[in-house]
Amino acid sequence: MPDNTPHSPQQPWENGWAPDASRAPGTRRLWLAGALALATVAACVTAMAVNGRTPREEAPPAAGGAATDSGPGLLSFNSPSAGTSASPEGQKAVPSATSQAPSSPAAHRSPSPRSDATKASGGQGSSTHSPAGPAAGTRSVRSVNYPDRYWHIAGDFVRLDPVGSSPDRRAATFTLVEGLGDASCYSFATADGGYLRHRDFLLRAERDDGSRLFEQDATFCPRASAFSGAVMLESVNYPGRFLRHQNFQLKLDPYQNTDLYRADSAFRLVDGLG
């Protein structure tokens, strides 16, 4: 019969060898790890010794140039900069000419009577300040494009008419005074104690009623004209509207960027005729 009796596994001493009790378990692994660490340290020390070098002496930069390190062991020189170049002794550095001031926003504005007038007169006069006007006194107002015609009171309105007779000359003569609504502007007083004022945008001669509206309607500010010795007269309470003649009627009209408008709105203040 087969032997079915269970047998215990063989022990090491039954095969003729015995465990090494002279060292602690896992010692071999510790020795292998230590050897690997030593090899790594040795490799690092060798690499450092190979790559190590003493600091090199930098060559002086070429005249006018600055030395830059462009790679291991190489020197390169940049072109001198206009903003950092040295100045002669005793002199201050001049800023670079490449810096530019910001452009003026005025260059993008829409045309205005002042800027157009300045251009047409070849740069004469100011585009932002009123031209110096004549001193207070009697004045007549002559058209630029109709030099034989003057402001002339005809009934209640002011027209551009030729004047010859003595009554017409007196009706074309006014006293220039400080503006009723703005002392830096003009008002035109008439011989009978009234003033020239705009109403319904037409220029007319009326008595002062003492109102603030009348003072403003009777005030006109001189502006530079495209014609030498002439002015444009802007309403103080309707900025952008200027006195101009149309069909020889004096009226307050919005500025138009045309040669005809600039000529119709240009007047010369001359000595009084009457």
Side-chain angles (χ1 to χ4, degrees), residues 106-141:
H108 308 287
R109 293 176 185 170
S110 57
S112 68
R114 297 173 188 143
S115 60
D116 288 339
T118 303
K119 292 177 183 178
S121 59
Q124 299 293 327
S126 169
S127 60
T128 57
H129 298 86
S130 300
T138 56
R139 294 289 183 270
S140 292
V141 185

Side-chain angles (χ1 to χ4, degrees), residues 61-68 76-87 96 98:
T68 58
S76 64
F77 300 94
N78 291 332
S79 300
S81 169
T84 59
S85 59
S87 301
S96 172
T98 57

Side-chain angles (χ1 to χ4, degrees), residues 151-154 162-174 191 273-274:
W151 288 11
H152 174 253
I153 299 174
V163 294
S165 66
S166 183
D168 286 342
R169 294 171 72 88
R170 286 193 298 271
T173 301
F174 312 97
L273 300 176

Side-chain angles (χ1 to χ4, degrees), residues 49-116:
V50 172
N51 293 330
R53 66 185 67 180
T54 58
R56 66 179 183 275
E57 294 182 359
E58 294 187 358
T68 58
D69 191 352
S70 59
L74 297 178
L75 287 176
S76 64
F77 300 94
N78 291 332
S79 300
S81 169
T84 59
S85 59
S87 301
E89 289 188 22
Q91 297 184 12
K92 295 182 179 179
V94 179
S96 172
T98 57
S99 60
Q100 298 179 357
S103 59
S104 171
H108 308 287
R109 293 176 185 170
S110 57
S112 68
R114 297 173 188 143
S115 60
D116 288 339

Side-chain angles (χ1 to χ4, degrees), residues 217-232:
D217 286 353
T219 303
F220 305 94
C221 300
R223 306 301 185 199
S225 169
F227 300 90
S228 176
V231 295
M232 298 173 67

